[in-house]
Amino acid sequence: VGSGERFYGLEVEKWPVLYVETDVQQATALPRLKRIGAMPGVTFHFAPAINLLNPHPALVETFRYYQEQLGPSVVVFNTLRKCYSGDSKDDETPGKVMAAVRHFFPQAAQVFNHHDTKRKFNDKGVEVGAQEEAFAGSKAFINDIASSVHILPERVEDGEPKRSRVLHNKDQAGL
């Protein structure tokens, strides 16, 4: 979206993107981003953790600045769990988190990266258990969103994924 380049063969309009990184420290993320290369149209904001449900005044000002100066069409939060304080299994939390983002960025599509429950491997490095059902936290998160994409390791060697598959397992957006 930030570059306006085609995505999986689909036409994409160029719009500003704000990427709020709360999971990986800036010192770790910057070398990774450098290896990926330029990402035009994407602005990164690094924060150790934020609480969208009770935001610190500095966060409010920072988000106000991004809204006024950037006007992002997409806001990505990595990761969901580090964007709020509270019970991840409380069914009321998802609506509150999404409403908080709409308050700060009313025009923006919301993207939340979310980790599954911890993956389990047998002694041969083969994953055990159904990852399609491994969503961590309240099921209300998955129920309240318009679209869900699940990235799963397809092949694991020495405990590390070597290839991934992408499952588009929920769609209310007509994609």
Side-chain angles (χ1 to χ4, degrees):
V1 172
S3 69
E5 294 179 21
R6 294 177 71 83
F7 183 72
Y8 286 101
L10 300 172
E11 294 288 331
V12 176
E13 278 190 58
K14 183 177 178 176
W15 293 99
V17 174
L18 174 62
Y19 193 101
V20 180
E21 177 59 69
T22 62
D23 194 45
V24 179
Q25 294 180 4
Q26 187 172 3
T28 302
L30 289 178
R32 293 176 183 175
L33 292 171
K34 195 172 197 174
R35 282 194 304 270
I36 293 170
M39 286 184 261
V42 180
T43 300
F44 287 87
H45 174 77
F46 292 91
I50 60 175
N51 186 359
L52 290 167
L53 302 179
N54 186 17
H56 188 277
L59 180 66
V60 172
E61 286 305 311
T62 299
F63 280 0
R64 183 175 292 133
Y65 170 82
Y66 284 129
Q67 174 61 17
E68 291 171 359
Q69 300 300 313
L70 183 64
S73 290
V74 178
V75 180
V76 179
F77 291 90
N78 186 47
T79 64
L80 173 63
R81 189 61 192 109
K82 292 190 177 178
C83 289
Y84 68 93
S85 293
D87 184 356
S88 66
K89 292 180 174 61
D90 179 353
D91 289 343
E92 302 217 357
T93 301
K96 292 176 182 176
V97 170
M98 292 175 204
V101 175
R102 274 192 306 276
H103 171 76
F104 290 116
F105 306 104
Q107 77 293 343
Q110 303 173 22
V111 177
F112 293 95
N113 294 333
H114 181 60
H115 296 290
D116 292 337
T117 55
K118 297 296 181 193
R119 297 172 28 222
K120 296 178 181 140
F121 297 92
N122 66 18
D123 57 353
K124 294 183 173 140
V126 176
E127 191 167 11
V128 294
Q131 282 299 300
E132 286 82 358
E133 299 296 325
F135 188 84
S138 169
K139 293 292 185 195
F141 275 111
I142 197 81
N143 293 336
D144 284 355
I145 61 173
S147 185
S148 170
V149 176
H150 198 172
I151 301 171
L152 299 168
E154 191 171 84
R155 188 178 86 218
V156 175
E157 294 175 10
D158 300 322
E160 292 294 318
K162 297 300 178 190
R163 270 195 346 220
S164 298
R165 62 187 163 119
V166 177
L167 302 174
H168 187 195
N169 53 2
K170 179 179 180 183
D171 182 11
Q172 294 177 351
L175 299 175

